[in-house]
Amino acid sequence: MRRVALSGLLGTAVEFYDFLVYGTVAALVFGDLFFPDADPAVGTIAAFGTFAAGYLARPLGGVVFGHFGDRIGRKSMMLLTMVLMGGCSFLIGLLPTYDAIGVWAPVLLVALRVVQGIAIGGEWGGATLMVVEHAEHARGAHGSRRGLWSSFTQLGAPLGSVLSAGVVTLVSALPDDDFRSWGWRLPFLLSVVLLAVGLFVRLKVAESPLFEQVRREPLDRPPVVELLRRPAPVLRAACVGIGAFTAQSLLTGFMISYAVDHGYSRPQVLTAVTVASCVALAVLPAASALSDRVGRRPVVLAGAVASAALAFPVLALVDSGSPGLLILALALGHGVAQSTMYGPLGALLTEMFGTRVRYTGASLGYQAATLVGAGFSPLIAGSLLAVYGGGSTPVSLLLCGGAAITALAVWRMRETHTASLDASPTHRPAAPVSEGTPR
């Protein structure tokens, strides 16, 4: 279990390191380097547009890798997605800029982001399923510590954030000309180190025991067709994750651009993001372990309510101009509220689908949530700020909206933490609560 959990942790860390390094560098210099003919505000929006392009490809990756993961196995897909993720990040670090090759620079950037997004679309599902399915097999008791073990995969998010913020903080301390000419490339090139370590661990992990039990049972239809015949669980899974990803995207990558525009230095903002991610490293496993005891629903619901309640106060603290209050704001909004929503998500989404369609179902739900919550939020926030000025109200309203969607979706679900991970392809323990059904 420790090796499987470490494998999931490293895979998600590579995923979030690659995506957050891009989001951070895009906020700082990509507008000038790849879209130099645009107005500064338009250049920033275009840079975040390529960020969204990676998210647009994620549901496709969830379908493709989910299909083969449900038919061939989890392990082989985990290896392939990790190679593609790290490889694309490394190639971004080698890309010529607009001054060198003209319009081909943004074209190649978008192409690499799309391939990376497809790979990431299959990464989380494989990593999480391996951990949760191994945990179910190892313990043999319904609902046994699946949340706690799955939190190791979820911990990859703040770990990747800490690593990306730390590396970008170091290189952004370079003189501005050096950072713009070659320093921005280093965080992307260093992703190859995480890739090597992750592959070394994953090669030693055994295939999921639950999948081995059912791999020879035929499916009448491809997993995605089976799921889309009854799409409610996938839509519900997507809605559950939207709040966590909206908060994560707005309070990490987008917040760097927003705070720098409001007078903070790059090191001050990156320090705040790093501290918030360190807080998340403690909150995530605590929230996940608590969900094993009291259930997934109350923990995720508490995080959603906290995220909505803190939305306006957090942005007010950011607007204060105080570096100390900036750290407090991100620690509360991202480190505590967002992490409470995100911690139990791996176990919760896994428990909503049967073994033969679980990779595809959990991946589709999760990646649809990232597309809506994380992919479009920075783009929408940047556009609203450009149109209506620099006030923080649009950002706060987006945070509240994402949290409200999550809260409503969780409120309408049955509890899943005591459900068996049934092998049936039609297993749906997370059906909506109907009248007279105990919550």
Side-chain angles (χ1 to χ4, degrees):
M1 273 310 307
R2 287 192 295 269
R3 186 183 297 125
V4 174
L6 179 60
S7 167
L9 170 66
L10 290 172
T12 314
V14 172
E15 170 189 344
F16 276 86
Y17 176 86
D18 290 343
F19 256 65
L20 293 173
V21 159
Y22 181 90
T24 304
V25 176
L28 297 176
V29 297
F30 271 13
D32 294 335
L33 294 178
F34 290 90
F35 308 94
D37 293 335
D39 171 89
V42 175
T44 299
I45 293 170
F48 279 122
T50 60
F51 189 63
Y55 280 102
L56 281 169
R58 283 181 168 215
L60 175 60
V63 172
V64 172
F65 288 104
H67 173 85
F68 291 105
D70 282 327
R71 287 186 174 269
I72 298 173
R74 292 28 170 150
K75 179 178 176 178
S76 57
M77 295 302 104
M78 287 170 59
L79 294 171
L80 180 56
T81 55
M82 180 172 272
V83 169
L84 288 174
M85 285 190 311
C88 286
S89 188
F90 183 79
L91 290 176
I92 289 175
L94 300 176
L95 269 184
T97 62
Y98 188 95
D99 289 341
I101 59 172
V103 72
W104 282 106
V107 168
L108 291 173
L109 179 65
V110 171
L112 287 173
R113 290 290 296 165
V114 169
V115 174
Q116 191 178 54
I118 292 173
I120 290 177
E123 162 61 31
W124 179 89
T128 302
L129 265 60
M130 284 286 277
V131 174
V132 176
E133 290 178 348
H134 271 278
E136 176 82 353
H137 181 77
R139 298 287 296 180
H142 294 172
S144 60
R145 302 185 71 189
R146 294 194 300 246
L148 178 61
W149 281 113
S150 71
S151 71
F152 284 88
T153 303
Q154 307 298 79
L155 281 172
L159 179 59
S161 180
V162 168
L163 292 173
S164 65
V167 171
V168 175
T169 298
L170 289 175
V171 299
S172 65
L174 293 167
D176 194 60
D177 289 342
D178 290 339
F179 179 71
R180 289 176 177 273
S181 62
W182 57 269
W184 66 268
R185 299 180 183 275
L186 296 180
F188 294 101
L189 299 177
L190 288 173
S191 66
V192 74
V193 177
L194 275 176
L195 172 62
V197 175
L199 286 176
F200 176 77
V201 174
R202 285 195 167 177
L203 286 169
K204 297 178 178 293
V205 172
E207 181 57 88
S208 159
L210 291 185
F211 177 77
E212 292 284 14
Q213 293 173 11
V214 301
R215 71 185 306 164
R216 298 188 184 279
E217 296 179 12
L219 274 176
D220 295 334
R221 306 174 185 83
V224 66
V225 175
E226 181 70 33
L227 286 165
L228 293 181
R229 288 177 68 240
R230 299 181 181 89
V234 175
L235 295 174
R236 194 176 303 117
C239 289
V240 168
I242 282 176
F245 288 111
T246 300
Q248 181 186 73
S249 183
L250 291 177
L251 297 177
T252 54
F254 176 79
M255 184 53 61
I256 294 170
S257 173
Y258 178 88
V260 168
D261 288 344
H262 283 71
Y264 294 96
S265 68
R266 286 198 300 254
Q268 288 173 336
V269 183
L270 292 171
T271 298
V273 172
T274 303
V275 171
S277 298
C278 290
V279 173
L281 287 171
V283 174
L284 272 170
S288 301
L290 182 62
S291 76
D292 282 332
R293 291 181 173 271
V294 303
R296 318 292 184 215
R297 292 178 64 250
V299 176
V300 177
L301 188 59
V305 171
S307 184
L310 289 170
F312 282 91
V314 160
L315 268 296
L317 291 173
V318 173
D319 290 343
S320 70
S322 166
L325 293 180
L326 174 67
I327 292 174
L328 177 62
L330 299 192
L332 290 174
H334 174 51
V336 177
Q338 189 273 341
S339 297
T340 303
M341 281 191 286
Y342 185 67
L345 199 61
L348 175 57
L349 266 58
T350 301
E351 291 159 356
M352 294 174 69
F353 302 94
T355 304
R356 292 311 309 272
V357 297
R358 185 172 291 134
Y359 200 141
T360 305
S363 295
L364 267 180
Y366 183 92
Q367 302 307 338
T370 66
L371 171 61
V372 177
F376 291 136
S377 293
L379 195 60
I380 294 171
S383 301
L384 290 175
L385 291 176
V387 172
Y388 296 106
S392 60
T393 299
V395 183
S396 299
L397 289 175
L398 283 173
L399 286 170
C400 290
I405 292 172
T406 290
L408 181 60
V410 172
W411 181 257
R412 295 296 301 165
M413 288 175 58
R414 286 190 183 134
E415 185 52 68
T416 63
H417 80 292
T418 57
S420 170
L421 294 187
D422 194 299
S424 166
T426 59
H427 180 51
R428 297 287 186 272
V433 175
S434 58
E435 186 176 355
T437 302
R439 294 185 187 276

